[in-house]
Amino acid sequence: MASEPAQEITPDQLFHRAAALHRQGKIDLAITAYRKILEIAPEHSGVWGNLGVALRTKGEFQAAVIAYKRALEIAPGDPGVTGNLGNALKDLDRLEEALAAHRSASAGLPEDFNIRYNYGIALREAARYDEALVELDAAIALKPDAPHPRWDRAIALLHLGRFQEGWSAYEARWHTGDLPARPVDVPRWQGEAFEGKTLLVFAEQGFGDSILTSRFISQIKARAGDGPDAGRVILECKAPLQDLFSGIAGIDRMVEPGEAAGEYDLEVPIMSLPGIFEAADDRLPPPADLYIPDYARQKARVLLRQDARFKVGIVWSGSVTFKGNRKRAVGVESFLPFAEVPGVDLYALQKGPRSGDLEAAGAGAVVTAIGEQLDSFAETAAVIDALDLVIMTDSSVAHLAGSLGCPIWNLLNMATYWLYRGQGETTPWYPSMKLFRQEEAGDWEPVFERVRQELAEAVAAKRAGNWPR
């Protein structure tokens, strides 16, 4: 008896297998499978759309755009693919095209949570915060329990200077799953008097956020009461910050994370302090009084040449684990023309994985790299205090220089940290900081050209005895 021929596997069946790999996080295998399907079914719009998603996951944004557009050639106007195209265009800083795509997707599926949410994110990255709030509110109405739109809404409110609403909404960060869980049996301090109790203030996000909000720590003690029953304040933060923070009034004890377990009655995240003390642009305490030990100053004298040249510290990247770092960071090559300005010496303060960029760019002989020799923020502070200027893209060092009151030029991408708002050259949070902004998303060249021109003016000002201004 003749056997029946094997049944041929259809492209749709292959697609379901590839999609299963995709859902399991096996992105490379899924991409390979999608490509093989397209060899036999090049007009399969679902494969093209999923391929775009996989490519975007790998950071291949241009390739993702091509895949999405191929899908739309086959299935014009598909709102889901159009919205995904908007996401990839946003990644490429093609913001007007991205917004057009999101607008089209939203019109096609106005009741789709993901489409409205992604549109809100794109508007926020385009610094169109009022419009972003409309879309984020629409997403929240569609899925009230989703925490991420509430968190992004908080950021938009802070950008707009709507601080009372913004600080309240900012607490949504504790529901996104992006922060470590805290002990459930410890009450959260809301700003009430705490005489006779011990309060733990804990760092929760990046080093820069801790430096920014350390200014509020000294205000806590006013609510601790007086006399022998006065409340105590424990500050929990990582070791690289502890010397720096040891000069802040009102701290009874400093510990590393987890070290004070069971020793406190109340706790508060350090980033909740601005809301508790109702911070706003016109109602701010000055930056904290940061302490620079003698050993750190001695190290700075060794690391920096003791001459009259204009000493500029540079940092070109923040933490590579920060998901927005790709857009705020630049290559060290953009900073090198500053060394061509007569009288200028550059010192690289960069730490971490990107510190090797200087040697990779062939500039190790003309820029002095000292970042990896700095073992704490106190040592970095000592160096900054001895420099004439710091020029950098935004990261924790910007908060450090601003808190010290040292001259700092902060180079900002379009989607900035809320602290810097949407426009202007200054921020009331750091009076010594000057802001240089992108006018077009992703376009750094005009920013660096302007900085180079003003750097020459700063060198001349120092020679005339008028620096810092």
Side-chain angles (χ1 to χ4, degrees), residues 183-190 192 197-200 202 264-268:
V184 296
D185 58 338
V186 179
R188 181 66 55 87
W189 185 63
Q190 305 292 339
E192 71 276 11
K197 296 182 179 180
T198 298
L199 170 65
L200 179 80
F202 64 90
Y264 52 93
D265 308 293
L266 303 163
E267 67 172 21
V268 64

Side-chain angles (χ1 to χ4, degrees), residues 110-113 115-121 123 129-146 148-157 160 162 165 169:
E111 300 303 311
D112 187 287
F113 166 78
I115 284 176
R116 301 300 293 269
Y117 178 41
N118 287 333
Y119 190 13
I121 296 298
L123 286 163
Y129 302 112
D130 284 307
E131 295 172 76
L133 283 177
V134 173
E135 294 304 315
L136 293 170
D137 285 341
I140 292 168
L142 290 167
K143 193 177 285 190
D145 294 333
H148 283 90
R150 294 184 178 278
W151 163 243
D152 288 296
R153 182 177 183 274
I155 301 302
L157 288 168
L160 290 167
R162 293 165 57 177
E165 299 169 80

Side-chain angles (χ1 to χ4, degrees), residues 226-249:
D226 298 314
D229 291 328
R232 298 179 69 250
V233 175
I234 300 175
L235 176 64
E236 178 186 276
C237 65
K238 293 181 180 179
L241 284 172
Q242 291 196 6
D243 277 354
L244 191 71
F245 284 173
S246 63
I248 298 176

Side-chain angles (χ1 to χ4, degrees), residues 6 85 181 280 293 301 407 435:
L85 172 62
R301 284 192 288 271
L435 308 175

Side-chain angles (χ1 to χ4, degrees), residues 15 46 119 146 187 210 242 264 283 292 312 318 338 355 367 400 412:
F15 176 45
Y119 190 13
S210 293
Q242 291 196 6
Y264 52 93
R283 191 169 56 250
I292 305 178
V312 178
F338 299 159
S355 62
V367 177
L400 179 57
L412 304 176

Side-chain angles (χ1 to χ4, degrees), residues 162-372:
R162 293 165 57 177
F163 288 107
Q164 185 173 2
E165 299 169 80
W167 294 129
S168 176
Y170 199 72
E171 295 303 307
R173 69 196 186 277
W174 290 103
H175 304 289
T176 64
D178 297 328
L179 295 173
R182 298 296 302 179
V184 296
D185 58 338
V186 179
R188 181 66 55 87
W189 185 63
Q190 305 292 339
E192 71 276 11
F194 62 100
E195 187 173 6
K197 296 182 179 180
T198 298
L199 170 65
L200 179 80
V201 181
F202 64 90
E204 52 174 293
Q205 299 181 39
F207 288 119
D209 293 318
S210 293
I211 296 170
L212 169 70
T213 49
S214 63
R215 69 186 69 206
F216 297 100
I217 294 173
S218 59
Q219 295 187 332
I220 295 173
K221 204 66 171 176
R223 304 186 184 187
D226 298 314
D229 291 328
R232 298 179 69 250
V233 175
I234 300 175
L235 176 64
E236 178 186 276
C237 65
K238 293 181 180 179
L241 284 172
Q242 291 196 6
D243 277 354
L244 191 71
F245 284 173
S246 63
I248 298 176
I251 299 174
D252 294 294
R253 182 182 170 205
M254 212 161 352
V255 299
E256 291 200 51
E259 199 173 286
E263 298 181 25
Y264 52 93
D265 308 293
L266 303 163
E267 67 172 21
V268 64
I270 197 167
M271 288 297 292
S272 290
L273 296 180
I276 288 173
F277 292 105
E278 301 180 337
D281 285 348
D282 59 351
R283 191 169 56 250
L284 283 176
D289 185 12
L290 303 179
Y291 176 63
I292 305 178
D294 287 342
Y295 80 83
R297 293 193 183 278
Q298 292 170 4
K299 189 169 188 176
R301 284 192 288 271
V302 172
L303 294 174
L304 302 177
R305 286 183 288 278
Q306 304 302 306
D307 56 31
R309 292 180 65 80
F310 197 91
K311 300 176 179 61
V312 178
I314 59 172
V315 181
W316 53 91
S317 176
S319 170
V320 297
T321 61
F322 174 61
K323 64 182 179 180
N325 194 59
R326 181 179 62 84
K327 290 193 175 185
R328 70 177 181 176
V330 299
V332 67
E333 295 86 354
S334 296
F335 286 82
L336 298 182
F338 299 159
E340 297 179 23
V341 176
V344 167
D345 278 347
L346 297 184
Y347 291 85
L349 308 181
Q350 185 69 48
K351 293 178 68 69
R354 294 289 300 272
S355 62
D357 293 0
L358 189 65
E359 288 294 335
V366 293
V367 177
T368 305
I370 60 176
E372 292 296 347

